[in-house]
Amino acid sequence: MTSAVTSPPDHAPAPPVPSARRTGRWIDEWDPENPAQWDAGGKQIARRNLIWSIFGEHLGFSVWLLWSAAAALLAKVGFAFTPLQLFWLIAVPNLVGSLLRLPYTFAVPKFGGRNFAVFSALMLVVPTLLFAWFVQRPDTPYWVFIVIAATAGVGGGNFASSMASINFFFPARLKGTALGLNAAGGNLGVAVIQFFLPIIVGGAGAFGLVKASQSGIMLERVGYLYAALAVVAALTAYFFMNNLSAAYSKPREQLAVVKYQHTWVMSFLYIGTFGSFIGYSAAMPLLIKINFFNQPVPTIPGIGINFAFYGFLGALVGSLTRPFGGWLADRFGGARVTLCAFIGMIAGTVLVMVALAQLDAVPKPPAGAPAPDPATFQYSDAVRAAVDHNSDIFPWFLAAFLVVFAATGIGNGSTYRMIPLIWKAYATQAGPDGTPARVAAERRSTKEASAVIGIAGAIGALGGFLIPITFSAPWIADPVDAVKSAFVVFTAFYVICLAVTWAFYLRPRSVMAKAGV
């Protein structure tokens, strides 16, 4: 079916009518800023596309962060990877996902948001089936797992195409909320996979309410489940979403935004907000396991804090606060909210460092000592005392870390609200209101803002790669010390982001401060 939303006369708002301009679910002459058109059916169309966009993006994020939850369980199914190797397994999908966000952004204006939503959903079948096949084979070389983990990066690309598409459906006054909801629905995919994966595969979870299966861990289950859900997402996109002719542009036109200074400033700030969210989300299960859990070999019951009980909470909090950040930005201004978000991230990371400084070192077996016998093994009093002490510190660590996650979510919502306003401010410089030059600039600004959202999303997602790699820090022998050093680096970076936000968007005489960004 092909349809068009036309600009109706003021006295008779018209609903969408058929058009024969091209085949497929295309809508021509879309103008959400036209109140009559918006009330005559545009609102319902926009909401329907938003709902199914959220569903597809949600699955994309779950697949993207699949390895973040699975890595901590690989030892239980026979894989003997080091902490450094595990951090690389959760970092590589983030690197690939960040690189894919640029072509995924440019694909929406070229092929249509609905058409590309179908394609991007089907692409999720590849990493999920590869995951399901190879986690059943403990003799698989490590490099094969790196390649398989890289394919999960396609889930990260979904975010860029989804956001670029939804940006065209809503009027400026609702973009902050719409983009915030779309992104939050995707971000929740991280919390969902981290919460449900241990349960689905037969491990303990849900704060201990679900006990581990007696038949052992079966990681392949989650791969098959998400492959099936990806097919469902492709079908819902095919039947219920739309392409917009108004979104069409050539990649060369979109790439023109690289000449704007604020493209790069916002990309830098997005490393601090979204890069932190996705990086911390990916690393949190392993961080809990390294710092608060002790298990010499998988066949011996571990002691301390089980990551499966709490590893999903950070992503959940960050996801829920993202639309709140968009709403706050709509009400108080994106730059002000972003500034407050970085203040919260600085305070949170400082508190995390204070908590980590209280941890006791857990005694390790002597180098070269034989593997313990599960039948006779007992934890020493010194090991139990250290693990118990660290478990008492865990609530403070978790609370501080959740402050960081809440701030990243708010910052994610507010930064994405800033981008359309920045490009609207650029358009106002084209001439007086109502002039042909001004009208053309305002139409162009929506396309350029979508391109910037994609570029900022791609660069920002690099934080999801850099954060796990910094935590692993191969130049620091002790993984616990590496984690402590990493938070010092992150805190310093947030101070820089704070200064950049004020200098470019809140400094009293700056152009963007006058524009109310």
Side-chain angles (χ1 to χ4, degrees):
M1 177 182 176
T2 305
S3 61
V5 174
T6 59
S7 299
D10 293 340
H11 62 280
V17 296
S19 166
R21 199 180 69 82
R22 68 173 88 182
T23 59
R25 295 179 61 91
W26 286 88
I27 295 176
D28 298 324
E29 301 178 28
W30 179 261
D31 183 11
E33 301 293 349
N34 183 329
Q37 185 187 101
W38 182 252
D39 293 335
K43 181 190 304 183
Q44 288 74 21
I45 291 173
R47 287 177 176 174
R48 172 165 45 79
N49 278 269
L50 176 61
I51 289 170
W52 296 112
S53 174
I54 289 173
F55 178 57
E57 189 187 339
H58 176 91
L59 294 180
F61 265 86
S62 291
V63 172
W64 193 21
L65 273 292
L66 176 64
W67 287 93
S68 73
L73 292 171
L74 287 175
K76 291 185 177 293
V77 293
F79 295 94
F81 296 146
T82 67
L84 175 60
Q85 289 176 316
L86 293 176
F87 272 119
W88 271 96
L89 278 179
I90 65 177
V92 166
N94 292 334
L95 175 62
V96 175
S98 67
L99 297 177
L100 284 178
R101 285 186 165 195
L102 280 179
Y104 269 54
T105 297
F106 297 152
V108 168
K110 179 68 175 178
F111 301 106
R114 170 257 193 180
N115 294 346
F116 200 75
V118 174
F119 169 80
S120 61
L122 290 176
M123 284 295 293
L124 300 178
V125 175
V126 176
T128 49
L129 291 184
L130 286 174
F131 175 90
W133 177 262
F134 283 98
V135 293
Q136 301 177 68
R137 289 157 175 78
D139 58 340
T140 303
Y142 176 70
W143 70 265
V144 175
F145 273 85
I146 286 291
V147 174
I148 297 169
T151 65
V154 298
N158 283 23
F159 174 84
S161 56
S162 177
M163 293 292 279
S165 176
I166 293 302
N167 184 52
F168 285 96
F169 277 96
F170 287 84
R173 71 183 187 280
L174 299 176
K175 282 186 189 293
T177 302
L179 292 175
L181 288 171
N182 192 52
N187 293 172
L188 272 173
V190 182
V192 167
I193 195 70
Q194 291 179 340
F195 178 81
F196 283 106
L197 184 143
I199 298 172
I200 293 169
V201 304
F207 305 106
L209 297 176
V210 177
K211 304 300 181 183
S213 170
Q214 296 299 316
S215 58
I217 301 295
M218 297 182 183
L219 285 173
E220 65 273 15
R221 290 177 181 172
V222 75
Y224 292 132
L225 173 61
Y226 272 88
L229 289 174
V231 174
V232 173
L235 291 173
T236 56
Y238 181 84
F239 287 110
F240 302 120
M241 294 184 70
N242 298 97
N243 304 306
L244 295 181
S245 300
Y248 179 79
S249 66
K250 298 177 181 178
R252 183 174 58 185
E253 296 172 346
Q254 292 178 285
L255 284 172
V257 300
V258 301
K259 67 184 179 182
Y260 293 111
Q261 178 188 53
H262 291 284
T263 299
W264 303 107
V265 176
M266 292 306 302
S267 297
F268 177 79
L269 295 181
Y270 205 55
I271 294 175
T273 57
F274 179 77
S276 296
F277 167 80
I278 202 66
Y280 291 146
S281 296
M284 191 170 183
L286 270 180
L287 289 177
I288 295 173
K289 186 174 183 178
I290 288 172
N291 291 280
F292 300 97
F293 190 72
N294 188 266
Q295 188 177 29
V297 293
T299 53
I300 295 174
I303 57 175
I305 303 298
N306 191 330
F307 83 91
F309 297 176
Y310 306 100
F312 71 96
L313 285 175
L316 177 64
V317 169
S319 302
L320 294 177
T321 57
R322 180 158 191 161
F324 183 59
W327 177 81
L328 286 174
D330 282 340
R331 188 166 185 180
F332 300 108
R336 290 190 181 93
V337 176
T338 300
L339 188 81
C340 293
F342 283 123
I343 292 173
M345 293 165 70
I346 293 168
T349 49
V350 169
L351 291 174
V352 168
M353 287 189 291
V354 171
L356 291 175
Q358 309 304 312
L359 297 182
D360 285 348
V362 179
K364 297 180 180 179
D373 181 2
T376 60
F377 177 82
Q378 289 186 343
Y379 289 97
S380 68
D381 290 341
V383 169
R384 285 191 176 277
V387 172
D388 289 345
H389 170 78
N390 294 345
S391 296
D392 291 338
I393 301 297
F394 177 74
W396 300 102
F397 166 85
L398 180 63
F401 216 163
L402 293 183
V403 169
V404 178
F405 272 105
T408 64
I410 291 173
N412 287 339
S414 61
T415 49
Y416 260 26
R417 177 62 182 120
M418 290 170 65
I419 291 173
L421 289 178
I422 291 169
W423 264 259
K424 186 176 181 180
Y426 275 132
T428 62
Q429 301 173 17
D433 189 20
T435 61
R438 174 73 170 270
V439 171
E442 289 175 345
R443 290 184 178 274
R444 187 172 62 251
S445 69
T446 302
K447 295 182 180 182
E448 291 182 338
S450 289
V452 175
I453 284 174
I455 292 173
I459 296 175
L462 285 173
F465 171 74
L466 296 173
I467 284 177
I469 294 305
T470 307
F471 279 136
S472 66
W475 54 88
I476 301 178
D478 186 353
V480 176
D481 290 338
V483 170
K484 294 176 182 178
S485 300
F487 276 106
V488 175
V489 175
F490 302 148
T491 303
F493 177 68
Y494 299 146
V495 172
I496 296 172
C497 290
L498 179 75
V500 169
T501 303
W502 180 85
F504 282 91
Y505 302 110
L506 291 171
R507 187 168 45 86
R509 287 185 291 275
S510 66
V511 174
M512 293 301 164
K514 294 177 181 177
V517 170

